[in-house]
Amino acid sequence: DVHAGVLAYDRVSGACRRRVLANFADQAVTVDDGGWTVLVATRRDRDSERFDGRLDPTEAVVLQPVG
């Protein structure tokens, strides 16, 4: 389950898995989504960091599994 203002979906192709999260709310939200690394984000300073579950207002991230 995610916050009502967050669009979330997974893309899988063979062994490649990605998760996309987009916060359409005007406040920061926290999603319970451990085990992921930020591949790319609207806030470029987050690229390559371990995802902490926080999405700022209108922020989107593409995540890849840790490891």
Side-chain angles (χ1 to χ4, degrees), residues 2 5 14 16-17 24-25 31 33 41 46-47 53-56 58-59 62 65-66:
V2 295
C16 182
R17 182 174 181 204
F24 289 96
V31 295
D33 227 357
R46 296 192 73 179
D47 292 2
R54 179 181 167 86
L55 289 170
D56 286 336
T58 67
E59 181 180 22
V62 178
V66 171

Side-chain angles (χ1 to χ4, degrees), residues 5-51:
V6 175
L7 171 69
Y9 63 93
D10 289 346
R11 296 294 304 220
V12 179
S13 177
C16 182
R17 182 174 181 204
R18 300 291 183 259
R19 177 162 291 168
V20 177
L21 300 170
N23 181 10
F24 289 96
D26 59 0
Q27 71 270 357
V29 298
T30 301
V31 295
D32 183 21
D33 227 357
W36 297 89
T37 299
V38 178
L39 184 62
V40 65
T42 52
R43 283 188 35 219
R44 299 310 303 262
D45 61 314
R46 296 192 73 179
D47 292 2
S48 302
E49 75 178 25
R50 180 83 181 245
F51 184 61

